[in-house]
Amino acid sequence: MGFQQNTLKKLSEILGISISTVSRALKDHPDISAKTKERVKELAATLDYEPNNFAVQLRTQQSNVLGILVPTIRNYFYDFFISAVEEEAVKHGYSIMIMQSLDKLSLEISNINVLRRNKILGLFVSISIETEDMTPFRKLQESGIPVVFFDRVAEVSGFRKVCLADEKAAQIAAKSIIEKGKKNVLALFGHPHLSITKLRYASFKNYFDIHARDSKVTYFFPEQVEASREVCLDVFKTEIPDAVFCMGDMILMGVMHAVHEAKLKVPEDISIIGISNGLIPTLYDPKITYVETSGFKLGKLAFKQMYASLKGFNEIEEVILDSVLVEGGSL
Amino acid sequence: MGFQQNTLKKLSEILGISISTVSRALKDHPDISAKTKERVKELAATLDYEPNNFAVQLRTQQSNVLGILVPTIRNYFYDFFISAVEEEAVKHGYSIMIMQSLDKLSLEISNINVLRRNKILGLFVSISIETEDMTPFRKLQESGIPVVFFDRVAEVSGFRKVCLADEKAAQIAAKSIIEKGKKNVLALFGHPHLSITKLRYASFKNYFDIHARDSKVTYFFPEQVEASREVCLDVFKTEIPDAVFCMGDMILMGVMHAVHEAKLKVPEDISIIGISNGLIPTLYDPKITYVETSGFKLGKLAFKQMYASLKGFNEIEEVILDSVLVEGGSL
DNA sequence: GTGAAAGCGCTAACAA
DNA sequence: TTGTTAGCGCTTTCAC
């Protein structure tokens, strides 16, 4: 509407001093006298003066925006991650711009361009399922925009990464299953293309190969809730495994549907263990035992990395966040 | 790093033509000859030219960013809302900036300022629990930034709103309970300060008052999971109600914990019905019957409102989205 | 301690 | 069809 933004020029005219003096006064420049500063600040306050960010940014060639690029925000893990980053960002005076790739490469790339055009200071990214070429990210880095990968990280070196201890998480699960004496295990993982799946699968399998050669472990890679349910029901037709390992929440949900449909009691008839951010496992009764992978903690860690990079004192390439077993009653 | 942004000036120097010609060619201005356009575009492509948004924005005095301000993004309802808005926004060439108030008034206000400083084109907002004064939003509107309220909306007029049919949702739930012949009902609502609670409570109560005077309905207002669980367990000590109504997912989760702890079978011993966005109710067995309130659909609707406002042809103040009963097996 | 002036990269009115 | 020019609002160097 008729609303007009106040500018330095306007203030300077009212006060009868120059624009540059006003600018300096507002920034507490040492050259400016206390009296002038006071006058300027008072007027600025009463007029609700707000600097025009575009002009500042054009002049200084940098924004205060950090980008986050995730497959989807409809996911507790990313939610928590984003929350954590945002919390820290606000503390340090940065803003956050969030974009979703929806696991599509084309969207990921166009989002990167949007972020670049918005002159983000730095980028947090968890790559899409389809991503293989790291060139766009390398380009960002080369143009001075630090990139911090998290969760689903680039498999090549030369990038900063914060990861969950994925091998460790899967190992902890494997160890727990073995310790409980479960010999016949159904292990369900996610999309086999993702490095997170590869890591978890490899270390889970490896742990069993070394510590429980006599166990029977069956592996499947269903991607979502429905696929997991179907895999389970299919397996149950032949035999009921002692324990089911679920790599993620979606898989767990599918498994639990199957377990109920097959009228199996947990943990009497069948044991369940998962890897999760924490909400879903607590919804069941008994609560599901799971290895915790905290998006929140990861977010805090990622921000630390980013901040260090922005300030130019980051030497560390990869940080790994440990996992913990949270006992429910399902194992 | 040494990376330098290409500018119109650079392109113009290389091509030996003026800056404005380059600018116009890139925008397919009708004045420019096809041949020049081609030359310019080709060079722009090979040099990876990207317009400097700050300059564009400073010049045009507007960004292409839409703001979203929600209490928290750690919530399926808002998640879906944001996803929907983002989907539409990307289609129309807008970006999204998301901020959380964490239900604190102070944060809400400082976020509004951040958004304003970033010259957002428009704002979607679901207000915090503490918000009572609508002045900041009114100011935004007055400075030409359309505000679309959703979910938790301003109770005063003069603002655009998209709401769920909250009365309707609660009515549908009440009706279903009555039709199933449940006479002893425990009804749990959220924070009594919120308009969404008030609406749902009033219409639920009203429906019972009119259509089932002989029913006994007990009301409580627990805010989160744990409080709901405790309220339930407390009630169960005295008597087991025929049915429990849960205004939201958090409440439902608490109730289900209590139900399990009390070893009650659903729906034989006790019926459950909720209002939900859809994920949580499907996790239980049997699935919980719920009245669906879709954040996704609401987001689409909100964007439509925003788009109309931006284009200057929005006459409608309030839009209400209908609710549907999704039958599980819990009632 | 303060002011004048240049210029960040872009758009658009006006000139040619 | 293309070029010239004047700014958008700010920061900062240099001059006084």
Side-chain angles (χ1 to χ4, degrees), chain B residues 139-164:
Chain B
K139 272 194 182 173
L140 277 180
Q141 299 249 52
E142 281 164 6
S143 52
I145 301 172
V147 178
V148 174
F149 287 85
F150 68 96
D151 190 37
R152 296 195 197 155
V153 305
E155 288 188 352
V156 295
S157 69
F159 290 110
R160 281 171 213 92
K161 304 165 193 173
V162 293
C163 318
L164 299 161

Side-chain angles (χ1 to χ4, degrees), chain B residues 8 20 23-24 27 49 52 55 59:
Chain B
L8 290 185
S20 41
S23 170
R24 282 185 282 233
K27 306 191 118 53
Y49 169 78
N52 183 320
R59 183 60 235 243

Side-chain angles (χ1 to χ4, degrees), chain B residues 165-179:
Chain B
D166 287 312
E167 302 96 332
K168 186 95 180 290
Q171 266 173 39
I172 292 174
K175 185 159 172 258
S176 310
I177 293 171
I178 294 170
E179 283 177 359

Side-chain angles (χ1 to χ4, degrees), chain A residues 60-108:
Chain A
T60 61
Q61 285 303 329
Q62 58 166 266
S63 74
N64 65 334
V65 178
L66 297 175
I68 302 183
L69 180 52
V70 288
T72 170
I73 62 168
R74 260 135 75 176
N75 169 307
Y76 265 86
F77 180 78
Y78 292 126
D79 261 16
F80 276 80
F81 180 91
I82 293 169
S83 277
V85 171
E86 216 210 10
E87 219 171 279
E88 289 302 308
V90 168
K91 260 189 221 159
H92 294 264
Y94 300 111
S95 300
I96 292 291
M97 174 165 271
I98 304 164
M99 310 245 80
Q100 306 183 71
S101 68
L102 302 178
D103 271 327
K104 300 215 186 75
L105 183 59
S106 59
L107 257 178
E108 186 168 88

